[in-house]
Amino acid sequence: MPHIIPIRDLKDTAAISKLCNECQEPVYITQNGYGDMVIMSMKTYEEKLELLDVYDKLDQAEEQLRNGVTADARSELKRLRAKYGI
């Protein structure tokens, strides 16, 4: 469940920091009843960036598959084994 707090609660920075680190999700800040900002812990932010990178790579792979840019698995494994001396 998302955490939503009013902007006036940002005065207690220690409590906000604790909330961000405990919930491991973005915390939504409202102003006058409307969404204004989102804050999160550094760990959560880095995890979200890593997840976006994975999604981007999957999207690229699907695009290559649609365009017929594929390689034979056996020949690629041989190439990688030779490259890394496995």
Side-chain angles (χ1 to χ4, degrees), residues 3-8 10 16 27-31 34-39:
H3 291 274
I4 303 170
I5 60 173
I7 199 165
R8 70 177 177 273
L10 290 178
I16 298 298
V27 176
Y28 298 89
I29 312 298
T30 61
Q31 185 173 23
Y34 295 98
D36 187 48
M37 294 184 277
V38 177
I39 58 174

Side-chain angles (χ1 to χ4, degrees), residues 54 80 84:
V54 169
L80 289 171
Y84 295 106

Side-chain angles (χ1 to χ4, degrees), residues 11-78:
K11 292 176 185 176
D12 189 359
T13 56
I16 298 298
S17 177
K18 183 179 177 185
L19 175 65
C20 288
N21 285 297
E22 285 177 354
C23 72
Q24 298 179 354
E25 292 181 357
V27 176
Y28 298 89
I29 312 298
T30 61
Q31 185 173 23
N32 298 324
Y34 295 98
D36 187 48
M37 294 184 277
V38 177
I39 58 174
M40 63 182 80
S41 69
M42 288 296 292
K43 180 182 175 191
T44 302
Y45 177 72
E46 289 169 357
E47 289 171 356
K48 298 289 183 192
L49 287 180
E50 289 174 11
L51 191 59
L52 285 174
D53 186 48
V54 169
Y55 288 151
D56 185 49
K57 288 177 181 176
L58 285 171
D59 189 43
Q60 290 174 12
E62 288 176 353
E63 183 67 27
Q64 289 175 348
L65 189 60
R66 279 192 295 272
N67 293 332
V69 181
T70 60
D72 178 61
R74 293 186 200 287
S75 63
E76 284 301 307
L77 282 173
K78 283 183 184 179

